[in-house]
Amino acid sequence: MDKKTIRQAVRAQLEAISYADYRTRSHAIGKQLMQQPSIQEGKTIAVTISSKPEVDTIAIIEALWQQGKTVAVPKCHPKTREMTFYAIEGFYQLETVYMDLREPMPAMTELVERETIDTIIVPGIVFDKKGYRIGYGGGYYDRYLPDFRGTLLALAFSEQLAEQVPFESHDIPVHIILTETGYIDCVANRGGQVR
């Protein structure tokens, strides 16, 4: 199956999750995330503002603020297909842009340089156990990640896991995937290869 077909099939499965189940499972994933050494030890965490049916990141962002972390949120630049991160201190610093995405307002926030980010929580629709993913098709993370040296985490419901996803040699896999049922060490599943 091609990426588009896989993306549509998994999205349909996610849409079928009841709201109560979605909240419970998102909470379980968020709780696990806060116990990760890369989150506990990191100062600056990059994360997208989720929209259902993605794992809810709103409560996660609030928990990161409570721990004194800097939360960096991406802003996409559709003309160049590039992405930059800005530190937000409250949801009032967000605006709704194309496709109902919520992004930081640069005039109200501070730019965060790539080398100061400790962990990026990478979004995706489908992941395999080696950490390869099918994203939303924009390619923003594919362009951003090659020069990033920190930890790459992903949050996913069990419906988002596949035996294998199609990938190319330049694709950057994540290090760890957290689901409502546990922790997947993608580096170990790649035979210890970090990239």
Side-chain angles (χ1 to χ4, degrees):
M1 278 199 292
D2 63 11
K3 286 186 180 183
K4 191 179 176 188
T5 311
I6 298 169
R7 204 181 273 129
Q8 287 171 338
V10 172
R11 206 169 173 94
Q13 280 185 286
L14 294 175
E15 296 285 359
I17 298 172
S18 73
Y19 187 70
D21 201 18
Y22 167 78
R23 302 284 322 148
T24 303
R25 291 162 74 184
S26 285
H27 178 73
I29 292 167
K31 204 170 161 187
Q32 252 196 97
L33 175 72
M34 300 313 289
Q35 293 164 359
Q36 292 301 308
S38 61
I39 297 295
Q40 292 180 344
E41 293 158 20
K43 289 186 177 72
T44 302
I45 313 300
V47 58
T48 57
I49 304 291
S50 64
S51 58
K52 197 173 175 300
E54 298 167 304
V55 173
D56 180 26
T57 60
I58 301 300
I60 286 166
I61 290 168
E62 288 170 338
L64 291 169
W65 282 331
Q66 282 168 7
Q67 291 192 8
K69 309 291 184 188
T70 298
V71 174
V73 172
K75 177 158 188 66
C76 297
H77 307 281
K79 280 184 183 161
T80 59
R81 291 280 187 180
E82 288 180 352
M83 180 172 68
T84 44
F85 283 88
Y86 291 85
I88 63 163
E89 294 169 358
F91 297 116
Y92 66 92
Q93 294 174 315
L94 300 172
E95 61 182 340
T96 302
V97 295
Y98 66 99
M99 290 172 64
D100 283 339
L101 292 173
R102 291 166 75 200
E103 292 188 343
M105 290 187 266
M108 291 181 71
T109 51
E110 204 171 306
L111 182 69
V112 176
E113 299 295 340
R114 191 183 333 242
E115 38 303 335
T116 66
I117 299 172
D118 299 298
T119 297
I120 296 179
I121 297 171
V122 183
I125 296 205
V126 189
F127 298 89
D128 68 19
K129 290 183 179 177
K130 290 185 176 179
Y132 289 102
R133 68 188 184 96
I134 296 175
Y136 290 85
Y140 291 98
Y141 280 85
D142 296 331
R143 287 177 190 81
Y144 193 89
L145 295 179
D147 298 322
F148 179 70
R149 294 289 164 255
T151 303
L152 299 175
L153 279 170
L155 311 177
F157 296 119
S158 50
E159 287 88 344
Q160 293 175 265
L161 296 177
E163 204 52 53
Q164 195 175 6
V165 300
F167 68 91
E168 288 158 44
S169 57
H170 61 264
D171 287 341
I172 310 274
V174 300
H175 301 127
I176 294 162
I177 300 169
L178 301 174
T179 75
E180 72 275 22
T181 57
Y183 165 105
I184 299 166
D185 184 340
C186 303
V187 175
N189 291 340
R190 292 195 297 273
Q193 283 183 303
V194 176
R195 292 230 158 168

